[in-house]
Amino acid sequence: MQVVILERNKLVGRKVARLFVATGAEAVAIDDPAALPAVLDGVNVLCADTFDGDLVAEQVRARPGLRGVLWTAEPLRRSLRYLVETAAIDHVLGRRDFESPPRAWEVAMLARRLQGMSAPPLGAYLDWGFTAVDIAVRDTADRDAAAARIQDFVGSLQVPRRIAEMFSELGHELIMNAMYGAPIDADGRPKYAGDRKAQVVLAAHERPAMRVATDGTWLALQIRDPFGRLERRHVFEGLARGLAGGELDRSHGGAGLGMLVCHNASTAMFFDVIPNHHTEVTALFELDMNLREFRTHAKSLHFWSH
């Protein structure tokens, strides 16, 4: 895999290039957009700050097979425009400020996956020695019990109560999507999406798998449904509408606020879809970040479809 990194900060560019090279890729870092045309032949991935998002979008649209990756130190709204409008850009990595690279593990994970590696296990997002709890979701009562279990789990870490409540709300939303939005019948028709207030008992083959985990620095919440019906546009367009305060999508029984809830409760979101097989959503929260900083900090968003 050949990668070009356009980064105005030379130190950051070299660090990101080094991370790609460490995964077996070939990487070139440049700091001047004028130098880009001369290095793009045969390149598979073009990376840049969202500041250069127009240039990245222009290049990936003009070159079939070229994929774009963005990073940003700003709130996600600006970057989302490129994800919505450009099919070959599926990833935005948050960074602390314009003098800092994106998180090293996140760059390495992205690089490996762009080279064909499958979705990593939950432990790949956390330090060795983490603790995880599996949560059963079989019916509507389990949904409410799971949200309470998540709140208790996070609360035991002696973090502000609002963080525990926030992650509980996130868990509730992800379960609602997996329980009501994902299941279909033998003819491919949604079974429960029409009424999200209905009492539901899932058959064994319809049940999602859910885990909440922590290593003391990060919180992770992951859910996998066995249907694989989430589409790219549901994530990017839904979040863009939510952040813009636009009209909500009520076409599938929900209020259309799901992506906004995910965004507001996480530092990074990873969506992995194998169509008609499974959808896996992983949400991360950085525990060392205070809530005031968290509200304005750049966030990461990744969508994978296989």
Side-chain angles (χ1 to χ4, degrees), residues 128-210:
W128 188 90
F130 71 92
T131 294
V133 174
D134 295 300
I135 300 176
V137 180
R138 297 159 297 196
D139 53 32
T140 309
D142 280 346
R143 175 200 64 194
D144 300 331
R149 180 71 183 90
I150 292 167
Q151 184 163 338
D152 290 344
F153 179 89
V154 179
S156 70
L157 301 174
Q158 302 180 32
V159 298
R161 180 178 178 83
R162 179 56 193 144
I163 294 176
E165 294 172 344
M166 194 168 62
F167 234 58
S168 174
E169 292 163 5
L170 170 61
H172 185 275
E173 180 60 36
L174 294 178
I175 293 170
M176 290 291 287
N177 291 339
M179 177 177 286
Y180 289 90
I184 53 176
D185 62 20
D187 297 317
R189 295 174 300 205
K191 291 184 68 173
Y192 311 117
D195 184 2
R196 291 199 169 205
K197 295 182 180 179
Q199 298 293 310
V200 168
V201 178
L202 297 175
H205 70 277
E206 297 174 335
R207 295 171 187 169
M210 188 172 210

Side-chain angles (χ1 to χ4, degrees), residues 81-302:
R81 176 170 71 87
Y82 299 107
L83 277 66
V84 170
E85 297 177 358
T86 310
I89 303 177
D90 291 319
H91 310 281
V92 177
L93 291 77
R95 57 173 170 169
R96 191 165 296 278
D97 52 49
F98 292 104
E99 304 302 317
S100 303
R103 288 176 285 266
W105 65 263
E106 192 174 350
V107 175
M109 183 181 290
L110 172 71
R112 287 291 188 187
R113 300 209 58 190
L114 287 171
Q115 294 175 78
M117 182 175 287
S118 59
L122 183 62
Y125 299 93
L126 302 167
D127 287 338
W128 188 90
F130 71 92
T131 294
V133 174
D134 295 300
I135 300 176
V137 180
R138 297 159 297 196
D139 53 32
T140 309
D142 280 346
R143 175 200 64 194
D144 300 331
R149 180 71 183 90
I150 292 167
Q151 184 163 338
D152 290 344
F153 179 89
V154 179
S156 70
L157 301 174
Q158 302 180 32
V159 298
R161 180 178 178 83
R162 179 56 193 144
I163 294 176
E165 294 172 344
M166 194 168 62
F167 234 58
S168 174
E169 292 163 5
L170 170 61
H172 185 275
E173 180 60 36
L174 294 178
I175 293 170
M176 290 291 287
N177 291 339
M179 177 177 286
Y180 289 90
I184 53 176
D185 62 20
D187 297 317
R189 295 174 300 205
K191 291 184 68 173
Y192 311 117
D195 184 2
R196 291 199 169 205
K197 295 182 180 179
Q199 298 293 310
V200 168
V201 178
L202 297 175
H205 70 277
E206 297 174 335
R207 295 171 187 169
M210 188 172 210
R211 302 185 84 193
V212 60
T214 187
D215 58 9
T217 300
W218 290 90
L219 271 175
L221 185 62
Q222 187 175 83
I223 189 166
R224 175 189 284 213
D225 73 59
F227 294 95
R229 298 182 58 233
L230 185 68
E231 297 179 20
R232 181 183 187 278
R233 62 184 178 87
H234 295 150
V235 176
F236 297 151
E237 294 178 14
L239 182 52
R241 282 195 306 270
L243 290 175
E247 183 176 352
L248 302 179
D249 178 8
R250 302 179 185 274
S251 60
H252 299 289
L257 289 171
M259 290 303 114
L260 190 60
V261 170
C262 292
H263 172 270
N264 289 344
S266 63
T267 307
M269 292 290 300
F270 299 79
F271 295 86
D272 281 277
V273 181
I274 298 180
N276 303 313
H277 186 272
H278 74 250
T279 295
E280 183 178 270
V281 182
T282 306
L284 301 181
F285 180 85
E286 190 173 0
L287 289 166
D288 291 331
M289 188 180 300
N290 65 58
L291 284 173
R292 179 177 296 180
E293 181 185 7
F294 168 71
R295 293 185 184 102
T296 58
H297 192 270
K299 299 182 179 183
S300 295
L301 182 61
H302 299 268

Side-chain angles (χ1 to χ4, degrees), residues 6 8 30-40 52 55 59:
L6 171 59
R8 309 300 180 105
I30 60 174
D31 63 343
D32 184 355
L36 191 57
V39 296
L40 278 179
D52 289 306
L55 182 56
Q59 294 299 326

